[in-house]
Amino acid sequence: MNLTFSPVYDRYSNFDRLIVLSREHQVFGWFDGTVVSEKGETIPVERIFGWAEEVCRRW
C-alpha cells in the first residue's frame, strides 16, 4: 500500500467532566496512490474520500 492523504477538514472535540471524557480528532480528505489486493494485484486509487481519526472515551 502506498497512499497519500490530502486533508481538507480537521475536526477536534474535547469533553471532560469528571467521570465522563470524550476526545475526538478526525481529519477528512482525499486518498491517492496504490493498494495491493490479497491476490497481489496493484490497484490505483484516485481521489477517494475518507478520514483518519483518533478517539478516546471514558465513562
Side-chain angles (χ1 to χ4, degrees):
M1 181 168 19
N2 182 15
L3 293 173
T4 300
F5 182 68
S6 302
V8 294
Y9 181 71
D10 189 347
R11 178 185 176 277
Y12 180 76
S13 173
N14 184 18
F15 180 84
D16 190 356
R17 299 292 185 265
L18 297 176
I19 63 171
V20 177
L21 168 74
S22 178
R23 286 192 194 117
E24 300 176 13
H25 190 191
Q26 300 170 310
V27 182
F28 300 87
W30 302 100
F31 286 96
D32 292 287
T34 58
V35 295
V36 179
S37 74
E38 292 179 357
K39 295 180 180 179
E41 301 167 306
T42 300
I43 302 166
V45 172
E46 292 183 29
R47 287 192 58 84
I48 301 294
F49 192 77
W51 66 92
E53 65 184 0
E54 181 178 14
V55 177
C56 176
R57 292 199 174 101
R58 178 189 70 215
W59 35 68

